[in-house]
Amino acid sequence: MKRKLIAAIGIAGMMVSIAACGGGDKKSGAEPKELTVWLTVDAQNNWPGLVKAADAAVKKNHPGLKINHEYYGWPDKNTKLDAVLATDKVPDVVEMGNTEMLSYMVKGALAPIDPSKFDNSDQWLDGLKASVTYEGKEYGVPYYAGGRVATWRKDIAAASGIKSTPKTYKELTADLDKVQKKQGDKFSAWYQPTRDWYSAMSFVYDAGGSIAKKDGGQWKGNLSSPESQKGLTEFKNVIDKYMHGDKTKDESDRYIVYGQGKSDMIFGAAWEGATAADPKNDKTGKLKDNLENFVMPGPSGKAMPVFLGGSDLAVPVKSNAQALAAEWINAFTGSKGQKGLMAKGNLPNNKTDLATMKADPKTEVPATAAESNWFVPMAPGWGQVEKEQVLQTMLQDIGTGKKSVAAAAKEADAKIDKVINTK
């Protein structure tokens, strides 16, 4: 990925000095006649009307402007984007998964933006704002978010005399103890894949720890800190007590496993429970109308901080239509756009709109859960940490008992320190 990005940006691209998404055509100074927008197929399939509305709003201010759209799938998106960024004919707006933003920001592939030009930028959700920020500058605009919730089976809970979802971690573990005793040791009261670092790091951040922290201009692994180890220890307790499946698995097929009916609860992306209940995945025939979501309580006494997934929109540094691109992004992700995205089941990019979802009983749980959130360290070498699966290896070593929490965390920190500051 690094080699592709270096080639994509090029020396000329790295040397360009740009005001924050301002100005017109960099070559002639004239206003561009075309704007090219690249989005994933999610927009094409699920909210094409919102795309048309953004187009219409921008065209109203710029008569004669032609807006071109291309839609790409997630599996081949970055390969296609890297290839076009190596040329002089780049799209003006690109959609990025929020975890993908960092490597492009580090390499200078994206133009900085002026947050004041975008609706509700002072209210962007913390985790989403972090995903577009590098070394004090913003290089993108949060588009929408997806949170994480706890999901359990009402019938299994009722069979153990449990009448309502837990509000505290103490209540949660007490309920799971009842379920585990009732169902036996071949059943997972909480199906929690050991290598699921998104869930594990929620325990770490809930305990006041972190994956890494910046100290004196340099990032260092922080998993060995007392706070982080406290979170990792509680995560291990969950694995030991309630997870009776394969302790070398990740979360990629959690919805499929959940659909097999050998577990009561999961803690994952909000869509996973509903997908497990799809007739194609539900091997029990009992999940539909029998699943209940709730805000995951944390051992700290507060709601568990969750990782926010989602997408951002950015402007390539080589774009000749940066001002128009910023205008289109605001038309699409601004106040009107967010309402449309929320109506399609997405979480908004800002706290103001999130509050309206929290007030609605139908969306209260995911909205409340998303209020407390975290994001990965915005360090230049974070991509390499992910590539080497440092966290997954540590968690598997802890969950299987191969290493103690302290030893596994110390080893993970050493691996992190080797690469996290390298561009």
Side-chain angles (χ1 to χ4, degrees):
M1 180 62 76
K2 284 186 179 179
R3 289 179 183 173
K4 288 181 181 178
L5 282 170
I6 292 169
I9 299 158
I11 299 299
M14 292 288 285
M15 297 296 289
V16 174
S17 177
I18 301 164
C21 281
D25 189 313
K26 292 187 293 186
K27 295 178 181 178
S28 66
E31 182 170 287
K33 301 299 182 184
E34 293 189 18
L35 188 71
T36 300
V37 177
W38 280 20
L39 301 171
T40 67
V41 292
D42 297 332
Q44 183 181 32
N45 296 334
N46 300 319
W47 45 85
L50 302 182
V51 177
K52 291 180 180 179
D55 287 354
V58 175
K59 286 180 178 180
K60 183 178 180 180
N61 295 330
H62 305 275
L65 176 67
K66 180 182 179 182
I67 302 180
N68 307 304
H69 291 279
E70 285 197 39
Y71 297 93
Y72 46 11
W74 286 103
D76 61 349
K77 181 179 71 63
N78 285 11
T79 300
K80 184 176 180 181
L81 179 59
D82 290 345
V84 77
L85 288 180
T87 73
D88 290 326
K89 190 172 177 59
V90 301
D92 303 298
V93 176
V94 293
E95 177 179 349
M96 308 282 293
N98 61 356
T99 59
E100 299 170 342
M101 284 286 292
L102 181 58
S103 59
Y104 289 84
M105 292 190 291
V106 168
K107 297 301 178 183
L110 307 176
I113 61 100
D114 179 356
S116 68
K117 293 183 178 180
F118 299 92
D119 293 355
N120 292 313
S121 60
D122 60 340
Q123 292 293 308
W124 285 343
L125 299 180
D126 295 339
L128 298 186
K129 182 177 180 179
S131 75
V132 300
T133 305
Y134 180 65
E135 294 188 341
K137 292 183 179 180
E138 285 77 23
Y139 291 86
V141 176
Y143 173 9
Y144 65 89
R148 281 168 165 72
V149 298
T151 302
W152 77 6
R153 290 178 55 174
K154 292 185 287 186
D155 58 337
I156 297 294
S160 294
I162 302 164
K163 298 180 180 180
S164 61
T165 55
K167 299 297 186 290
T168 67
Y169 192 73
K170 184 177 181 179
E171 289 176 3
L172 172 66
T173 54
D175 288 345
L176 291 176
D177 287 343
K178 293 177 184 176
V179 169
Q180 195 64 67
K181 183 177 180 180
K182 175 77 174 179
Q183 300 297 327
D185 59 11
K186 292 185 179 180
F187 185 89
S188 293
W190 178 348
Y191 178 74
Q192 178 53 63
T194 309
R195 292 172 65 88
D196 174 15
W197 64 277
Y198 297 107
S199 295
M201 293 305 106
S202 286
F203 281 87
V204 167
Y205 282 91
D206 179 72
S210 61
I211 300 170
K213 62 180 181 179
K214 201 171 187 180
D215 184 14
Q218 291 288 300
W219 287 88
K220 289 183 64 65
N222 193 45
L223 295 165
S224 295
S225 70
E227 296 83 1
S228 294
Q229 287 195 54
K230 181 180 179 181
L232 290 170
T233 298
E234 186 55 39
F235 182 74
K236 176 175 170 53
N237 290 340
V238 168
I239 300 296
D240 289 347
K241 291 181 68 176
Y242 307 122
M243 170 60 177
H244 298 288
D246 183 348
K247 294 185 179 181
T248 66
K249 287 180 67 65
D250 65 17
E251 73 282 4
S252 59
D253 66 346
R254 173 165 44 207
Y255 68 95
I256 294 175
V257 176
Y258 194 46
Q260 294 171 353
K262 296 180 180 180
S263 51
D264 177 29
M265 183 186 121
I266 57 174
F267 171 43
W271 57 265
E272 291 185 55
T275 305
D278 186 294
K280 297 192 297 292
N281 301 314
D282 181 8
K283 305 305 180 184
T284 71
K286 300 178 180 179
L287 298 187
K288 186 179 180 181
D289 301 324
N290 203 18
L291 296 183
E292 188 169 13
N293 293 336
F294 57 95
V295 178
M296 180 67 184
S300 68
K302 300 178 182 178
M304 184 79 87
V306 298
F307 175 84
L308 286 182
S311 282
D312 300 323
L313 296 178
V315 181
V317 74
K318 290 184 178 181
S319 167
N320 287 321
Q322 293 180 19
L324 278 174
E327 187 176 340
W328 190 92
I329 290 173
N330 192 48
F332 189 52
T333 66
S335 298
K336 290 183 178 179
Q338 289 301 308
K339 287 179 173 57
L341 289 165
M342 290 158 61
K344 295 294 183 177
N346 301 292
L347 291 175
N349 66 5
N350 67 89
K351 298 171 186 176
T352 302
D353 287 325
L354 191 70
T356 65
M357 292 188 72
K358 186 178 175 182
D360 184 341
K362 294 180 180 178
T363 53
E364 179 184 4
V365 168
T368 301
E371 282 187 311
S372 178
N373 53 78
W374 62 272
F375 200 65
V376 300
M378 296 304 284
W382 173 251
Q384 191 63 27
V385 176
E386 285 203 41
K387 183 179 179 180
E388 295 182 9
Q389 298 195 349
V390 174
L391 299 181
Q392 293 94 322
T393 300
M394 175 190 70
L395 293 170
Q396 183 170 323
D397 286 346
I398 290 172
T400 59
K402 183 178 179 180
K403 290 185 175 72
S404 67
V405 168
K410 182 178 179 180
E411 183 177 302
D413 277 346
K415 291 179 180 179
I416 289 172
D417 290 347
K418 285 182 179 180
V419 299
I420 197 168
N421 293 295
T422 304
K423 290 187 177 182

